[in-house]
Structure formats: structure tokens, C-alpha cells
């Protein structure tokens, strides 16, 4: 504790994702239901973007509104971020495995993050991070290269994804810059400051 | 990077929150609207619980269903966790300050986590972590002891709370044990394992 991991807090506001990780990072969120899941899925996609992933796939029902919301943030705040809804989860996973990528399934039943994150970080393979909706198909557990738990307590796939990425990038994602941003927030002690 | 912060990954499954932090940690989620916010607020409360906070207050409309959902998780998975809805945000904040506690407001406009977390961690004061709903009252920014950003990108208050707590506890919250749990999940490489 105390000063033990100051290395993590190597504050550098000019980082971008490709300086830290050469691997592609995509998320797959299972079984999106428009309307009912719109807010939860928007949070999940925005976390994927803000914490340095390349894109997110949603299985379940196609949802134009979800894509529009997320694309509007990308247009304003910059960077490249792909969002696709209405995907077939098994096809996405099989394709990913056929391209020599690996599958990381975040689940409260998996192995603790702290036991596997070093190995995942050091692997040169592209990563597909799968986060559940309700009723995760049993097959996902065996197709996954890693089943990883972010605590063994029930909480939130949004939090799980953020904490996984925070561990993967060792906190450096907090300093990522997004290219071609129309809007930029200037960190401030006590107010709202924008640069446009 | 690489092996730089192995100290963080000091895997010890017998930790509990009071061994790491003597300060009280509560969350305040602004402006809860039953039905519309039920899922988002449930995720927020469960993250607060799973990542080692003592409880959560919600301002806005009282919501029995939200309390029941969260209390059911606490009954099954153990530990002590307080949830209160229908609070007046200003009263909660003023009371907290009158008790010599400090207010940490998570906002995309605040100072970067990595710049302030060490100071917050080393402060002996009890902490109230405020996370917004839509339309945060301007006054919160000046009442807050710290306005802290978890990236300056738009994403999710659920993710912000989890990543803040992960930084505060330096990852040790991932190993917290909850006392008197009726259900316990056994981490597993490829399946679902329970102990009851």
C-alpha cells in the first residue's frame, strides 16, 4: 500500500492507446434488447470507448438508436470506435478464434483478475472481451480462453469491463488522448471547463 | 509497465475492508427516479457494496424496490451494507461536512484520479463519494472537497465509482471477503461453482 505502486501513476496526458497496446481490443455484449437495455448498453459502449477499446459488438436485436448515441460521442470527443448491433454471438466468437485472437469472458464465476491479468497483458493476441447480459449461454464458458472474475460478488458488467481495462492498461488508459476531438474537457478543481 | 506494480497484486483472499481502510465510505447518487433508473441505480449500489463501501444514499424519489433488490444481495452474499433512498442531497452533504468528513465528487470535469488519489487515500477523513445523475446541481462542485475525473470522456457513473474504489484500495478490494455470506462463489476456470 502507500507508495507501493507509484509507477502506475505515471501521469502522461499525451498517451494514446496504440502506444500502450498493439493488440486489438473489442468487446462483445450479449443479448441486447432495445429500449429495455438502452441505457445499460450505452454505458457499456461508452466505457469500452473511454477506456481504450477499438469497438464493441452487441448480439441480440439491432438497435439504431444505440449506435447513433455512441457514434455522436465519438464524433464529438474523437478517436476511432466501432459499434455494431444485431450480431450473432457465436459467429463473432468463432471468427475471433479463427483469427488467432483470444476470448476473455468476464463473469463473477471466473478466476480472479489479479491471478490472470499479467498473463493476459503479456499475450500478443488480439482480445475479445465478452460481457454478459442475463442468461449467458453455457457454451461461452468453454469457448472462452479465460473466464475472469472482477470480485466474486454480483455487481455490474459496466464496472467489470472498466476495472478489467484499468488492470490491463495499469491505469494508463486514464490518460489516453483521442485524436480529432471536436470537444475536449479541461480538468478543473471546481467547475466545468471545455475547449472546442 | 510489465512487472512494475506487482505489489498491487498481492493476492490475499482473507482480506476484509476494515483491514485496509479505517475510514467510513459512503456513496451518494443524485436524483434517482424509480422505474427509469432502477437498473442503473441497482448497478451503482451493487458496485458500492462489492467494492467495499459501507452504504449508499440516493436523493430523489424513495424506491422500495431498489432497496429490496440490494438488500437481498447483501442477505445472500454477506457483509453490512446500508441503502437509503429519498434523501435530500444537501442535508446529506452538510451533515457529512459537519462530521468532519470529506466529499469526493466524481465528474468528467474534475482533476485526474491519478493526481489526487494518493492524497485522498492518505487522508484520515470519512469519505462521501458523490456520483451524478443527469443535471448535477452547480453547488455540488463548490461543496465538494475534491472534484475527481475518471478520464475526461463521457462514460458511466457506475464505471467511475468502480475505478475510483479500485484506485483507492489499490486493487485489494478485489479480494475482500464478506462475513456471514449464505452464498459464496468459488472462482473457477470454466464454470459456475457455488458453496452455500
Amino acid at each position: 500500500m502507500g507508495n507501493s505502486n507509484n509507477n502506475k501513476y505515471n501521469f502522461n496526458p499525451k498517451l494514446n492507446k496504440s502506444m500502450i497496446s498493439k493488440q486489438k481490443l473489442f468487446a462483445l455484449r450479449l443479448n441486447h434488447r432495445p429500449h429495455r437495455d438502452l441505457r445499460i448498453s450505452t454505458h457499456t459502449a461508452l466505457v469500452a470507448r473511454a477506456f481504450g477499446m477499438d469497438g464493441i459488438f452487441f448480439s441480440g436485436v439491432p438497435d439504431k438508436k444505440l449506435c447513433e448515441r455512441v457514434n455522436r460521442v465519438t464524433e464529438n470527443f474523437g478517436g476511432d470506435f466501432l459499434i455494431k448491433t444485431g450480431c450473432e454471438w457465436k459467429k463473432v466468437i468463432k471468427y475471433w478464434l479463427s483469427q488467432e485472437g483470444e476470448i476473455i469472458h468476464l463473469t463473477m464465476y471466473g478466476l480472479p483478475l489479479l491471478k490472470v491479468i499479467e498473463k493476459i497483458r503479456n499475450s500478443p493476441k488480439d482480445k475479445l472481451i465478452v460481457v454478459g447480459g442475463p442468461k449467458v449461454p453455457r457454451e461461452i464458458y468453454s469457448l472462452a480462453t479465460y473466464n475472469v472474475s472482477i470480485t466474486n460478488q454480483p455487481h455490474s458488467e459496466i464496472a467489470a469491463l472498466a476495472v478489467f481495462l484499468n488492470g490491463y492498461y495499469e491505469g494508463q488508459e486514464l490518460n489516453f488522448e483521442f485524436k480529432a476531438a471536436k470537444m475536449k474537457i479541461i480538468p478543473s478543481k471546481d467547475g466545468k471547463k471545455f475547449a472546442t
Side-chain angles (χ1 to χ4, degrees), chain A:
Chain A
M1 294 245 328
N3 290 325
S4 64
N5 68 342
N6 269 350
N7 286 343
K8 182 180 165 187
Y9 303 140
N10 190 2
F11 188 72
N12 175 355
K14 293 293 174 212
L15 284 176
N16 68 54
K17 184 242 168 189
S18 62
M19 294 157 74
I20 307 296
S21 170
K22 293 196 192 333
Q23 286 77 52
K24 284 203 187 83
L25 262 86
F26 281 82
L28 167 62
R29 208 277 188 186
L30 300 171
N31 197 22
H32 170 75
R33 298 155 301 179
H35 189 67
R36 197 182 140 82
D37 290 337
L38 180 60
R39 286 179 72 203
I40 293 282
S41 289
T42 304
H43 281 230
T44 309
L46 292 181
V47 163
R49 179 190 166 276
F51 287 75
M53 303 191 86
D54 298 289
I56 188 165
F57 306 109
F58 287 88
S59 70
V61 182
D63 189 343
K64 214 176 133 188
K65 200 166 169 188
L66 171 60
C67 296
E68 283 169 0
R69 279 194 184 193
V70 172
N71 287 334
R72 206 175 314 133
V73 171
T74 305
E75 273 162 37
N76 284 325
F77 287 88
D80 295 316
F81 187 76
L82 180 82
I83 172 165
K84 264 180 115 72
T85 60
C87 307
E88 280 184 49
W89 67 263
K90 208 179 281 190
K91 276 198 186 156
V92 176
I93 287 183
K94 297 270 185 189
Y95 176 78
W96 202 265
L97 291 170
S98 77
Q99 300 297 305
E100 306 290 312
E102 58 192 4
I103 311 284
I104 294 148
H105 174 215
L106 302 184
T107 160
M108 67 193 280
Y109 302 99
L111 294 177
L113 178 70
L114 308 184
K115 285 218 167 166
V116 292
I117 190 66
E118 196 89 24
K119 200 169 162 192
I120 293 173
R121 196 188 299 118
N122 293 334
S123 145
K125 295 188 170 185
D126 291 338
K127 285 144 205 353
L128 181 72
I129 321 286
V130 182
V131 290
K135 292 191 204 133
V136 173
R138 186 68 195 78
E139 217 179 332
I140 300 267
Y141 290 87
S142 44
L143 286 169
T145 321
Y146 301 93
N147 289 289
V148 179
S149 64
I150 313 295
T151 83
N152 296 109
Q153 301 290 320
H155 57 90
S156 165
E157 63 270 27
I158 300 165
L161 184 60
V163 172
F164 176 85
L165 293 166
N166 188 245
Y168 180 74
Y169 287 123
E170 298 184 286
Q172 305 212 46
E173 82 290 352
L174 299 175
N175 302 323
F176 287 165
E177 292 271 297
F178 291 75
K179 63 181 183 197
K182 287 185 205 162
M183 285 165 90
K184 219 167 146 178
I185 286 164
I186 310 201
S188 157
K189 206 164 56 66
D190 56 5
K192 296 187 174 188
K193 285 187 194 150
F194 272 105
T196 48

